[in-house]
Amino acid sequence: MSPFEGTLVVTIDGPAASGKSSTARQVATRLGVRHVDSGSLYRAVTAARLQLGDPPELWTERSVLDAAARVTLVPGETTFEPRLDGTTCESAIRGEDVTGVVSLVAKMAHVRAWVNATVRATSAAHEIVVDGRDMGTAVFPEARLKVWLVAAPEERARRRVLQRTGRAPTAVELATETADLEARDRRDREQTQPAPDAVWIETTGISQDEQVGRVVALAEQRR
Ligand code: CDP
């Protein structure tokens, strides 16, 4: 029997700022299950390692794994939340310092194995909607539903600035954010792959509600 046969696992993967986390959070709430954001773990490990203060090009994989030992994933009411030294770290992990180097940390094979095992453990006792880059391929190949979200780079950049500032981007902001996202897409390319049986959803031009509604409908069919 597949390990996930009795438990609902929905994976939502896609490139940077494709709306994975916001969609996954809302889908999880509507299904009454918990949301797990695998990217938040890579970010928390990066934030922990940054605290040592030495430049990222000198980081060894061993030292990053030691930093990972300070990160836990704690079940809340609707999510699994990463904690750093037992404390909430949501604002620290979204900073530009973390975003700039997280892909370097995400390249480390032992760090990937640690994140994957940590994420997988959440599904042992809980139904989850999990988002990331490789949840439907490396971590939950047996998931009941796998979604691959795509959107044009400019659209993703527009959403990311809106999310950060609460307003529409200027032309310069849009160009800078698009270039940053495309650079991160290139760095993350290796681990950012759709599962062969993933359902593709192109989100450019559809509303967040519609996007969430489509995933919820698919999940309900397969529950
Ligand atoms: O900012 P965005 O929502 O695109 O990314 P995120 O989900 O917060 O993930 C931050 C970074 O973690 C990515 O740029 C990847 O380098 C890495 N990541 C990964 O390698 N595999 C995952 N399953 C999730 C994130």
Side-chain angles (χ1 to χ4, degrees), residues 104-173:
L104 178 91
V105 164
K107 285 264 169 275
M108 298 176 169
H110 290 96
V111 177
R112 297 202 74 76
W114 177 83
V115 168
N116 291 352
T118 304
V119 167
R120 210 188 313 263
T122 64
S123 71
H126 301 275
E127 295 194 308
I128 57 168
V129 179
V130 58
D131 78 280
R133 300 268 185 310
D134 55 352
M135 295 299 107
T137 49
V139 186
F140 297 109
E142 310 287 340
R144 204 77 66 77
L145 171 64
K146 295 168 220 169
V147 173
W148 180 252
L149 286 187
V150 279
E154 292 75 19
E155 172 62 16
R156 294 190 273 130
R158 191 188 64 74
R159 292 179 192 161
R160 194 38 64 94
V161 175
L162 187 67
Q163 185 183 47
R164 201 171 48 231
T165 64
R167 56 163 176 76
T170 63
V172 171
E173 280 172 335

Side-chain angles (χ1 to χ4, degrees), residues 13 15-18 20-21 37-40 42-43 94 99 102-104 106 112 115-116 131-135 160 181 184 188 191:
D13 290 309
S18 54
K20 305 175 298 283
S21 293
D37 172 1
S38 61
S40 72
Y42 287 101
R43 287 174 176 276
R94 303 290 158 195
T99 303
V102 62
S103 298
L104 178 91
R112 297 202 74 76
V115 168
N116 291 352
D131 78 280
R133 300 268 185 310
D134 55 352
M135 295 299 107
R160 194 38 64 94
L181 282 184
R184 196 143 60 91
D188 290 334
Q191 70 262 19

Side-chain angles (χ1 to χ4, degrees), residues 11 15 18 24 26 28 33 40 42 50 53 57 75 80 83 101 107 110 112 122 127 148 153 158 174 209 211 216 220:
T11 64
S18 54
Q26 291 177 44
V33 305
S40 72
Y42 287 101
L50 272 169
E57 54 279 14
F80 276 87
R83 299 263 171 92
V101 290
K107 285 264 169 275
H110 290 96
R112 297 202 74 76
T122 64
E127 295 194 308
W148 180 252
R158 191 188 64 74
L174 191 62
D209 274 359
Q211 188 169 314
V216 168
E220 274 168 350

